[in-house]
Amino acid sequence: MRASLRKAWESRAPRERVVIATLAALLGIALFLWLLQSAGRTRAQLHTSVAALRAQAARLDLQALEYVRLRATPAATASPTDLRTLVQAQAGAAGLSRALLRIEAMDVDEVVVAFGAVAFADWLNWIVGLKSQHVRLETCRIEMLSTPGLVSVTATLVRAKPQ
């Protein structure tokens, strides 16, 4: 095979050999330049991806540190007082006692509260404050009043059970 290629090459006229060699060299150079351009484009894309991945890794490291910190903090203990007393005190502290119509204790860890006319934002803030006391909202009925921003609320609150 090698001999037949050599024979075919030598059978060509010198001018044809120069033209073929020149075309082969130009084709080789063109392929090399295309390869360099393609590699450069891919390198730029990878550089962008690496930057994004580094940012994600940094965020993940921060989240891992926060997770470790939160796991190390002791669990908050629930208030030893009965739930009715705790809810009434929290309503007074939030300035909602004047809107509070009734508090019925179903048992030590469950109460039903009814508010006449309370600002919805104040109600939400009060619920968030109760959450920090390990009291959660079990059921709730909220009715919009004619005054914008005011609602009437009837809700069942329960003391969250420790996990």
Side-chain angles (χ1 to χ4, degrees):
M1 170 125 169
R2 202 170 169 97
S4 66
L5 283 177
R6 185 174 196 91
K7 191 174 183 181
W9 177 254
E10 290 176 355
S11 70
R12 301 261 179 220
R15 187 172 184 93
E16 286 180 0
R17 282 189 254 172
V18 169
V19 169
I20 292 172
T22 304
L23 288 175
L26 288 175
L27 181 63
I29 290 171
L31 286 174
F32 180 74
L33 291 175
W34 174 80
L35 180 66
L36 283 179
Q37 190 258 349
S38 176
R41 188 174 349 117
T42 304
R43 183 175 178 259
Q45 289 173 347
L46 288 175
H47 183 68
T48 304
S49 296
V50 167
L53 289 172
R54 283 186 178 148
Q56 286 177 352
R59 278 194 309 274
L60 187 60
D61 286 342
L62 289 174
Q63 290 173 352
L65 289 173
E66 180 67 10
Y67 177 77
V68 168
R69 186 188 68 76
L70 289 174
R71 293 286 292 191
T73 58
T77 58
S79 173
T81 63
D82 78 325
L83 189 57
R84 185 180 195 286
T85 307
L86 176 66
V87 168
Q88 196 162 15
Q90 290 293 320
L96 300 178
S97 56
R98 60 177 158 48
L100 187 60
L101 299 177
R102 66 182 165 90
I103 299 179
E104 292 179 25
M106 305 313 252
D107 64 29
V108 177
D109 289 331
E110 182 177 354
V111 295
V112 175
V113 294
F115 289 90
V118 65
F120 185 68
D122 293 342
W123 160 255
L124 287 178
N125 290 333
W126 183 65
I127 292 298
V128 170
L130 286 175
K131 189 175 179 182
S132 69
Q133 297 291 322
H134 299 284
V135 176
R136 67 179 174 82
L137 185 62
E138 187 169 272
T139 62
C140 182
R141 191 186 88 235
I142 301 175
E143 295 178 6
M144 182 175 66
L145 300 177
S146 59
T147 306
L150 292 182
V151 294
S152 70
V153 179
T154 303
T156 302
L157 303 168
V158 295
R159 188 182 309 268
K161 306 292 184 222
Q163 303 268 337

